[in-house]
Every structure is written in C-alpha cells, then in structure tokens.
Amino acid sequence: MTEVDQVENDDYEDDIELDQPRLRLVQKAIDARDRMALDDLLEPLHGADIADLIEQITEFQRLTLVELWSGNIDGEILSELDEGLREELLSSLPAEDVAEAVRELDTDDVVDLIENLDDQSQAGVILGALDDADRVAVEQALTFPEYSAGRLMQREVVIAPSFWTVGQAIDHLRTAEELPEQFYHVILTDPRMRPVGHVTLGKILSSPRDMPLADIEEDSFRTFEATDPEAEVAYAFNQYHLISAAVVDEDDRLLGVITIDDAMSVLDEEAEEDILRLAGVDSEGSLSDRTLGTVRRRFPWLGVNLVTSILASLVIAQFDAVITEIVALAVLMPIVASMGGNAGTQSLTVAVRALATRDLTGANVWRVIRREVMAGLINGVAFAIVMGIVGVIWFGNPMLGAVIGVAMVINLGVAGLAGVGIPVVLEKVGVDPALASGAFVTTVTDVVGFFAFLGLAALWLL
Amino acid sequence: MTEVDQVENDDYEDDIELDQPRLRLVQKAIDARDRMALDDLLEPLHGADIADLIEQITEFQRLTLVELWSGNIDGEILSELDEGLREELLSSLPAEDVAEAVRELDTDDVVDLIENLDDQSQAGVILGALDDADRVAVEQALTFPEYSAGRLMQREVVIAPSFWTVGQAIDHLRTAEELPEQFYHVILTDPRMRPVGHVTLGKILSSPRDMPLADIEEDSFRTFEATDPEAEVAYAFNQYHLISAAVVDEDDRLLGVITIDDAMSVLDEEAEEDILRLAGVDSEGSLSDRTLGTVRRRFPWLGVNLVTSILASLVIAQFDAVITEIVALAVLMPIVASMGGNAGTQSLTVAVRALATRDLTGANVWRVIRREVMAGLINGVAFAIVMGIVGVIWFGNPMLGAVIGVAMVINLGVAGLAGVGIPVVLEKVGVDPALASGAFVTTVTDVVGFFAFLGLAALWLL
C-alpha cells in the first residue's frame, strides 16, 4: 500500500499553483530561450494557471513561449485566456493545433470561444475542426441570442425515460458510448423528449436496482428556456442552490443542460461588470488591454463627467460676486460638494447592488429611501456641527459656520434621496443603474451642494 | 404515460418564483390576518424566496406572519435570511421550533448560523438541539478561525479505501445508513484516513464493477487545510473548476469536504464586499438595516472624506489672493479636481479588481502603471483641448484656457499613477486596497488638481 500511496501522493501534489517565483523563472527561461527549463516549469501547471501566466508576460515573451514550448496551447488554456489575447494567440498558432485544441472542448466552451472572435475566418477554422454532430450543435447554439441560456448550455446530456428503474439506468450508463466530462443528474424525459424531472447520481448509486427513477426524483428540478437571459439563469442557480438544470425549446423539448460552473462564471462576470460600471469603466476591458484600448474605454465616462462638472461650474458662476466679496467661500465650497458626492455614492452603491440581487423591490423601496434620507440627514447634522466649528475657528465667522453646516445637512439628505431614487428610476425605464447612476447622483449633489452653500451665503453673509 | 407526466409536470411547475404581485398578495393576506390565503400563497414557494419575502416586509408584518402561518420557519429559510433578521426571528420563535429547524441542516449551515449570533444563549439552544455527533462536529468547526476552510466544510463525507473496486463502492453506498444531501465524489483514503484521490459518481456509474477505483481517479483532485482562508478556497474552486474538495488537518487526515455551492457563496460575498468597500460602505451592512445602523456604517468613511477635503481646501486657501483677483478660477477649479477624481477612480477600480483576481502581480505591475499613466495623459490632452476652448469662449481669456488645459493633463496623468500605485502599495503593506484606496486616490487628485490649476494661474495670469 505505502508504495502505491506514495506514487498517488506525488501525482496530485505535482499539480502546483502558479506563484511569483515560478513566474519569474518562466520569464527567465523564455528570455534565455531555455526550452528544457521551460518545459519543466510549465509541465506541472494547470491550464488555467498557464493562461494566467500568458496574460502576465510581455507580447514578445508570449510569442517566444508559443515557439519554444513543446507542450500545446490546448483547448483548456484557450478557454481560460482573456478574449483579446485569445485572438492574438489563435492567429499565431498553426490551424491544425487550433483544430486539435478545440476538439477536446465541450460544445459550450466552443461557443464561448467562437462568439467573441472578431475575425470570422478563425471561427471557420474552429468550426471546420469539429465533427459533424458537434458542429451542428455549436451552430445551433449560435442562433440563440447572446447572453442567453442557449449559448450557455452544453449539448452533452444524460437522459433516461421516466419509467426506467435504477438498474436500467446503471446498465445504460455502463454501455453508453460517450458521456459528458462532468454530469451530476440523469434527466428523466417523456416520449416526446420533454424533461419531466431529474435524479442525482448519488441517489442512483445508493438506491436498489429495482427502484423506479420517478420515485427518487429531486424537488429542485427546474428548466430554463433557451432564450432566457443568462443573468436569470445565474440568479436561479444561486437562489435555489441548483447544480445542473435542463434547457428546453419553446415546445418544452430538451436541448441541453447548464451546470453550476457555467452559472458561477456568469455570476462572477456580472459582479465584475457592476463593479467596473459603477466606477465608469466599460466592462469589456481587461488588464491585458493596450493603452489605446484603455483610452477609448475610459473616455466616454470622463466626457459625461466633464459635462456634469461644467453644469456645477455654471451654478458657481451665478455667485461670482459673492465669492469676490468673501473668498473663504471658494475655499470651503468643495467640502460641501465632496461630502454630498461621497454620501450619494454610498447610497447608490447599496441601491444598485440591492437591485441586482433583487432585494430592493416595490415592496420596500419607500422604506429604503426613507432610511437613506434619514441617515443622510443625521450624518449631515453630525458633520454640520464639525464643519461649523472648523468654519468659525478657521475664518472667525460664526455665520459662515452656520452656512456651511446647513448646506451640509441639505446636501447629505438630498444625497440619500438621489442615491436610491435615481437607480430605481433608471431600472424602471430600462437603463442599467450600475452604468448611469453615478453621473446623475454626483451631478445632483454637486449642483445642490454649491447652490445651497453659495445661495445661503448670499442670503446670510452679504 | 401521459397521466403520470401530467402529475410530474404539475409537481415541478408548482415551485414558482416570488414576484411582485405575489408579494403584494402576501402582504394583503398578512394585513387582513387571512391565514388560509397566506398558507396558499406561501406553500408553493422555495425556502430562499420565503426568506427574501421576510426581508422585504415590515417588522410588524414579519411578526404577524410567524404567528399566522401554519408552515414552519425551517432550517433552509433561516440559512437564507439576512443575519440581522435571523437573530430577530430566532428570538421570536419557540425553542422547539428552532431545534426542529436546525436538525435538518448540514453541519456547515449550522456553523454559519451560530457563528453570526450575537446572543450566545441562542447558540446554546441550537447546539442543544443537535444529536451528539453533529454537535461535536459543529463545536470542532467553531474552533477553526473565522473565514477558514474548516468553517466552510461539511463533515458529511463519502469515502472508500483506495484499493476498492467500483462494485465494492456501489455495494457500500447502497447499504450506507446516512449519505450527505448532495455529494459529487467518492474520496479515496489510505489506512490512516488521509485522502489520496477522488472519483466522480459519473465515472463510478459508467465503469464495470471490477474496475479498481484507483484507475478512474480524477486529475482535478486537490485538498485544503482546515486553516486555509476561505478566500483562497473560493479562488481555487473558480480557477480550477472544482466541484468538491477534501479538507484535511495538519497531519493530512480527512476532516470534511467543501462543495462548489459553498465556494460560490464565498465568491459572491467577496465581490459584494469589494463593491461596497470601494464605495466606502462597511461591508457588514444589508438592506434590512435600520436607520441608526446605516448612520453608523456610513459615518467613518464620510469622516475620512471630510479630513481629505479639508486638506484640499487648505491648498485652495494658499491661493486666495489669486482667486480674489480672478474669480473665474473659483468657477473652473472643481472641474479639474472632479476629472482627476473620476479618472483615478477608474484606474483604482480596475487595479483593485485585478489584485483580487490575482491578475495584477509583480510581473506586470510596471506595465499596467505605464499603461494607466499613458491613458491618463492621452485622455488628459483630449479634455485639455476641450476645456481650453470652453475656457476661452466662456471667459474670453486664452491664457486661462491654457492653464486649465495643462492642469488637466497633469492631474489625469497623476490619477493613473495613483490609481494603480496606491492599491498595489496598500496590498503590499497588508491593508485591504478596496477599503482604503478611494480616500488616498481622491486626496491625491484633489490636492494635485487644485495645486496645479491655481499654481499655474498664479504664475501665468497675474
């Protein structure tokens, strides 16, 4: 036993993670064109780690790696790569290597590979490499809308007639020619290929052979239509703890199956997209973008911000006479605007996330708005007192302290209202609240902040 | 067949989602104290949806629901509830209902329930309700650090000696007394209970009975130590597409197993935490918080922001003589600061996410910084031209246009540098970059923006 164990232990402990020292050694081996060292360093790595490695080295190192490495850029590595780099690499690989790489993949991964290619001739090479059944499956998947369940599903399914017993299912599985890489349920179908339930493999394994499959069905069975948006699918997987779910056409016939790892990627991408959009970054970007791609991706939001900050400046311009009189106003006014902007961003981020997770609905929106406004007002009073004191000490003018304090309370209250109200309204009219709320909310808090502060100053100080 | 299918179809289509009309009907039934209507409305809902419903109604409605509803607040509903509400509900439920609810749960869910309770007497009630084996398992899990693999794992595992055949494994599963709710692998162990590999249920089902389990092991086998942080575990599940993984103690002995749905929740929580922290919201908050909780959670970041904006004001104060001379400076200066703040936030968000997903490392940090600075400078030039023209048209002063243009280029370049550099440095010194970067970056862009703009104005315009 000990002998065997040792070997097995070695076997899995070989599969090590990519760390910084190893990455540096790989770069050294590439720069020195040391093929043997490169092979030794890459061999124990998982495909996902090799993809990460390829993303982190320079373009020149990438090309040398492809040339030197005796291993292959396989389907797994391609699936894991950033979209931009994937295309770069596909075009530098010989067509037969690409063909071999894609043949190992499940159909959903091939769809993922093809749908993001700008270069249609590469798509042709990939489709040409597949056998007929897979090609038809991929081409059919591509007829479904982008980001739909139909694109996400794999065609490889394991089914059994709903009247079968456990023994029949096991015998069928033992003699099946080709089974999916990973599967977790046997889907029960009626004679028209409509899925009517599913059984976990654990239940099949632990039940007697004469047990009817229909008697050990899971409660959790749910189906999706191929045209359902992938975001809905991911939400349902997360909400109902699904492991796999059948996908059907408009006549309820079985088309394929979506598994939890696909749903996990979608959920991950959605959260990533929300984070980046909240910061005004176009979500298609990635770390391996080049400078000009980055410039293009950042420009639109900065443009929107320029317009909104000019709006705020127009408000200030109305009060130029007051500022000339009391220059302390120019010194203090950014504080009021900045506090409002920050409080508004806090509220809007909470609201955008709650909308995304469906926690903020018609049933509680007024309660949440009331809470945010109240919280804004209470924090406003606290900071009003602090800033009132700072104003008096700094400029020796109690009325100036009163002006900044009252403006602060007003702006933080408005920030709470706008922070929840604007995302909710945007969602209602069908605009992604993560993308557009920031611009609107900071415009409101800038304009209200400057107007309240300078307006009160004009009334009380002149 | 058709008869049976019909029944089965009804069965799963019953399990409907919670939508707005149903939520309103539930609220109506509660307000009218209509027990029958309430039971009819809640009966077909999944526990996760009932938890969502409980989160969205008012506190008074919650208490009425618990009193009226003939169904039970079961373990599933409790697990899905927001932490704050969970405690509220636990204290309003009779002890025997709580006991019944927790007995259905896997040990990892019980651990999750207990570790977040402020009230230790409630923890005692829950522990007391468990049978001895489960209680020992939960108490042992609680000895591991918070947010560790040991807290995340469930103790229910399915194992087989590594020398068994498929047939032996199937016979063992058929006669096993109690199997976990969900399991995806049989873990192979050596005589000392050290896991040495694992086999998928699909492989067991599709292999002949005399096949040795060791011959159909998965490559994907990985183990975690009980003290590994849960964030590492979630990263590995996502990176290597794991479905389940064994957890071991310091002597490599099997302690339990972590499944993909647990990893998915952790990943989800981490993303949520990053989103909220980037916006300066303490991550423990939730939508069902009360006003005072919200005030407390928002206050610290607003306080930090007050200090940083006073710093920026101190810069402005140095130039009060220039502003008195040319009041247009006061009108235009917020534009430069705001553009810098936005560009900095874009860069820092990309950097914080790339650090979280381990895409930004020592190998590419300089390339990313160079790219961000270049992108900032290029966008800076574009907006400098726009603002230069706006400045000339608005105030009829070409030199003013030049001042705002040059200040814009400087500030957007600095924004790119600070946006990547600050999160990277914070990560190095062990501070969460999501939490602290925002304050530092906007301080830099405010100070640099005001200083560059007003300083150049003092040099060129006076």
Side-chain angles (χ1 to χ4, degrees):
Chain A
M1 267 309 295
T2 326
E3 191 73 74
V4 175
D5 279 3
Q6 202 43 53
V7 173
E8 284 170 351
N9 259 302
D10 276 356
D11 196 56
Y12 78 81
E13 289 194 343
D14 252 13
D15 211 8
I16 54 163
E17 293 190 19
L18 173 70
D19 53 12
Q20 285 303 303
R22 181 167 291 254
L23 180 54
R24 267 189 286 273
L25 287 175
V26 170
Q27 289 181 298
K28 235 189 221 165
I30 292 174
D31 295 342
R33 300 188 63 83
D34 183 344
R35 188 186 298 247
M36 287 237 312
L38 188 63
D39 285 352
D40 284 350
L41 287 163
L42 293 184
E43 194 272 319
L45 290 181
H46 188 283
D49 282 338
I50 296 184
D52 279 355
L53 186 153
I54 291 174
E55 286 166 11
Q56 289 180 33
I57 59 183
T58 66
E59 189 181 350
F60 184 76
Q61 288 174 329
R62 269 200 293 279
L63 293 174
T64 316
L65 183 147
V66 171
E67 182 206 327
L68 283 182
W69 184 34
S70 66
N72 269 325
I73 304 287
D74 60 14
E76 184 165 32
I77 299 176
L78 282 179
S79 308
E80 299 284 344
L81 270 183
D82 261 0
E83 285 159 26
L85 285 185
R86 197 190 277 170
E87 208 145 346
E88 178 193 311
L89 222 61
L90 276 176
S91 60
S92 72
L93 286 175
E96 62 264 37
D97 284 10
V98 174
E100 201 187 308
V102 295
R103 263 194 295 263
E104 313 154 8
L105 293 174
D106 276 338
T107 52
D108 56 333
D109 292 323
V110 179
V111 170
D112 183 47
L113 216 61
I114 288 185
E115 68 185 354
N116 295 308
L117 289 179
D118 289 332
D119 181 351
Q120 279 310 305
S121 70
Q122 291 187 340
V125 170
I126 292 176
L127 281 173
L130 300 173
D131 65 40
D132 288 349
D134 281 354
R135 183 168 52 249
V136 170
V138 169
E139 283 173 341
Q140 196 191 340
L142 289 169
T143 63
F144 296 115
E146 267 199 280
Y147 309 113
S148 68
R151 295 260 182 130
L152 204 60
M153 70 184 181
Q154 59 187 57
R155 303 297 295 239
E156 294 86 354
V157 294
V158 180
I159 58 170
S162 55
F163 55 82
W164 272 14
T165 62
V166 164
Q168 284 173 297
I170 291 182
D171 294 341
H172 169 68
L173 287 170
R174 286 231 178 97
T175 53
E177 262 188 34
E178 204 183 353
L179 289 171
E181 251 314 278
Q182 300 277 349
F183 67 106
Y184 314 105
H185 292 106
V186 172
I187 299 170
L188 306 184
T189 56
D190 71 8
R192 294 193 192 157
M193 275 297 280
R194 291 181 304 200
V196 294
H198 70 183
V199 180
T200 65
L201 301 187
K203 280 271 167 57
I204 292 180
L205 273 168
S206 58
S207 302
R209 280 186 65 90
D210 57 0
M211 172 75 78
L213 292 177
D215 289 1
I216 51 173
E217 271 186 302
E218 290 293 293
D219 288 345
S220 65
F221 181 68
R222 269 165 204 268
T223 60
F224 296 97
E225 284 213 27
T227 50
D228 285 344
E230 61 173 23
E232 301 270 324
V233 175
Y235 172 81
F237 266 80
N238 197 25
Q239 174 83 347
Y240 305 118
H241 302 281
L242 308 181
I243 297 297
S244 76
V247 179
V248 296
D249 64 16
E250 63 271 32
D251 298 321
D252 275 340
R253 276 169 227 262
L254 183 64
L255 287 175
V257 69
I258 293 174
T259 51
I260 185 171
D261 51 316
D262 303 317
M264 198 165 167
S265 320
V266 172
L267 214 63
D268 211 34
E269 282 161 25
E270 300 261 313
E272 189 76 20
E273 201 178 83
D274 270 7
I275 294 179
L276 293 176
R277 286 188 166 181
L278 278 167
V281 181
D282 185 314
S283 56
E284 298 292 315
S286 83
L287 211 63
S288 48
D289 281 344
R290 280 143 223 261
T291 305
L292 282 181
T294 306
V295 168
R296 244 198 323 268
R297 251 179 275 284
R298 307 286 168 79
F299 188 88
W301 172 261
L302 291 174
V304 171
N305 183 60
L306 185 68
V307 173
T308 70
S309 54
I310 289 176
L311 271 180
S313 289
L314 286 172
V315 174
I316 301 173
Q318 306 312 306
F319 297 95
D320 54 357
V322 197
I323 294 173
T324 316
E325 199 86 6
I326 310 163
V327 75
L329 296 178
V331 173
L332 293 175
M333 69 184 182
I335 298 176
V336 179
S338 159
M339 291 296 280
N342 269 276
T345 303
Q346 290 178 331
S347 296
L348 95 84
T349 304
V350 170
V352 165
R353 283 310 293 171
L355 286 169
T357 56
R358 307 195 194 173
D359 290 328
L360 180 57
T361 65
N364 58 2
V365 64
W366 288 109
R367 251 174 305 139
V368 173
I369 288 180
R370 197 169 58 218
R371 185 195 70 180
E372 292 294 317
V373 172
M374 282 304 297
L377 291 175
I378 294 171
N379 270 328
V381 169
F383 289 109
I385 294 169
V386 175
M387 267 319 293
I389 295 171
V390 169
V392 173
I393 294 174
W394 193 347
F395 295 98
N397 182 342
M399 275 315 278
L400 185 61
V403 167
I404 195 166
V406 174
M408 188 83 84
V409 176
I410 293 173
N411 207 21
L412 264 63
V414 168
L417 179 64
V420 183
I422 288 175
V424 167
V425 170
L426 287 174
E427 168 108 340
K428 274 243 183 248
V429 300
V431 177
D432 179 0
L435 192 60
S437 298
F440 283 104
V441 171
T442 52
T443 306
V444 169
T445 53
D446 275 359
V447 166
V448 170
F450 289 133
F451 189 81
F453 179 62
L454 297 173
L456 287 173
L459 284 177
W460 295 351
L461 297 181
L462 286 189
Chain B
M1 271 306 298
T2 327
E3 190 74 75
V4 175
D5 279 1
Q6 199 47 51
V7 173
E8 284 169 353
N9 259 302
D10 276 358
D11 196 58
Y12 77 83
E13 290 194 342
D14 251 16
D15 211 9
I16 54 165
E17 293 191 19
L18 174 69
D19 53 11
Q20 284 305 300
R22 181 167 292 253
L23 180 54
R24 266 189 287 273
L25 287 175
V26 170
Q27 289 181 298
K28 233 189 222 167
I30 294 174
D31 295 342
R33 302 188 62 85
D34 183 344
R35 186 187 299 247
M36 288 240 312
L38 187 64
D39 285 352
D40 284 350
L41 287 165
L42 294 184
E43 195 272 320
L45 290 181
H46 188 282
D49 283 339
I50 296 183
D52 280 354
L53 185 153
I54 291 173
E55 286 166 12
Q56 289 179 35
I57 60 182
T58 66
E59 189 181 352
F60 184 77
Q61 287 174 330
R62 268 198 294 279
L63 294 174
T64 316
L65 183 148
V66 170
E67 181 205 328
L68 284 182
W69 183 35
S70 66
N72 267 327
I73 304 286
D74 61 15
E76 183 165 33
I77 298 176
L78 282 179
S79 307
E80 299 284 344
L81 271 183
D82 261 359
E83 285 159 26
L85 284 185
R86 196 190 277 171
E87 207 144 346
E88 177 192 314
L89 222 60
L90 276 175
S91 61
S92 72
L93 286 174
E96 63 264 36
D97 284 10
V98 175
E100 202 187 308
V102 295
R103 263 195 294 263
E104 313 154 8
L105 293 174
D106 277 338
T107 52
D108 57 332
D109 292 324
V110 179
V111 170
D112 181 48
L113 215 61
I114 288 185
E115 68 185 354
N116 295 307
L117 289 179
D118 289 332
D119 181 350
Q120 279 310 306
S121 71
Q122 290 185 341
V125 171
I126 291 176
L127 280 173
L130 300 173
D131 64 40
D132 288 348
D134 281 353
R135 182 169 52 248
V136 170
V138 169
E139 282 172 343
Q140 196 191 340
L142 289 169
T143 64
F144 295 114
E146 267 199 283
Y147 309 113
S148 67
R151 295 260 182 131
L152 204 59
M153 70 184 181
Q154 59 186 57
R155 303 297 294 237
E156 295 86 354
V157 294
V158 180
I159 57 171
S162 55
F163 54 84
W164 272 14
T165 62
V166 164
Q168 284 173 297
I170 292 182
D171 293 343
H172 169 69
L173 287 171
R174 286 231 180 97
T175 53
E177 262 187 34
E178 205 183 352
L179 289 171
E181 255 309 282
Q182 301 277 347
F183 66 105
Y184 314 104
H185 293 107
V186 171
I187 299 171
L188 306 184
T189 56
D190 71 7
R192 293 194 193 155
M193 274 297 280
R194 290 181 305 201
V196 293
H198 69 183
V199 180
T200 65
L201 302 187
K203 280 271 168 55
I204 292 180
L205 274 168
S206 58
S207 302
R209 280 185 66 91
D210 55 3
M211 173 74 81
L213 292 177
D215 289 1
I216 50 172
E217 271 187 304
E218 292 292 295
D219 288 344
S220 65
F221 181 69
R222 266 163 206 270
T223 60
F224 296 96
E225 283 214 28
T227 50
D228 285 344
E230 61 173 22
E232 301 270 323
V233 175
Y235 172 81
F237 266 79
N238 198 25
Q239 175 82 348
Y240 306 117
H241 302 282
L242 308 180
I243 297 297
S244 76
V247 179
V248 296
D249 65 16
E250 63 271 31
D251 298 322
D252 275 337
R253 274 168 228 263
L254 183 65
L255 287 176
V257 69
I258 294 174
T259 50
I260 185 172
D261 51 316
D262 303 317
M264 198 167 167
S265 321
V266 172
L267 214 63
D268 210 35
E269 281 162 25
E270 300 261 313
E272 188 78 20
E273 202 178 81
D274 270 6
I275 293 180
L276 293 175
R277 286 188 167 181
L278 279 167
V281 181
D282 185 315
S283 57
E284 298 292 313
S286 83
L287 211 62
S288 47
D289 281 344
R290 279 143 224 261
T291 304
L292 280 181
T294 306
V295 169
R296 245 199 321 268
R297 249 180 276 286
R298 306 285 169 80
F299 188 88
W301 171 261
L302 290 174
V304 171
N305 183 61
L306 185 68
V307 174
T308 70
S309 54
I310 289 176
L311 271 180
S313 290
L314 286 172
V315 174
I316 300 173
Q318 306 312 307
F319 297 96
D320 54 357
V322 197
I323 294 173
T324 317
E325 200 86 6
I326 311 163
V327 74
L329 296 178
V331 174
L332 292 175
M333 69 184 184
I335 296 176
V336 179
S338 158
M339 292 295 282
N342 270 275
T345 303
Q346 289 178 333
S347 296
L348 96 84
T349 305
V350 170
V352 166
R353 283 310 293 168
L355 285 169
T357 57
R358 306 194 195 172
D359 289 329
L360 180 58
T361 66
N364 59 1
V365 64
W366 289 109
R367 251 174 304 140
V368 173
I369 288 180
R370 198 169 57 218
R371 186 194 70 180
E372 293 294 318
V373 172
M374 282 303 298
L377 291 175
I378 293 171
N379 270 327
V381 169
F383 289 109
I385 294 169
V386 175
M387 269 319 294
I389 294 170
V390 170
V392 172
I393 294 174
W394 193 350
F395 295 98
N397 184 341
M399 276 314 280
L400 185 61
V403 166
I404 194 165
V406 174
M408 188 83 85
V409 176
I410 293 173
N411 207 21
L412 264 62
V414 168
L417 178 65
V420 183
I422 289 175
V424 168
V425 170
L426 287 173
E427 169 107 341
K428 274 243 182 246
V429 299
V431 177
D432 179 0
L435 192 59
S437 297
F440 283 104
V441 172
T442 51
T443 306
V444 169
T445 53
D446 276 359
V447 167
V448 170
F450 289 133
F451 189 80
F453 179 64
L454 297 173
L456 287 174
L459 284 177
W460 295 352
L461 297 181
L462 286 190

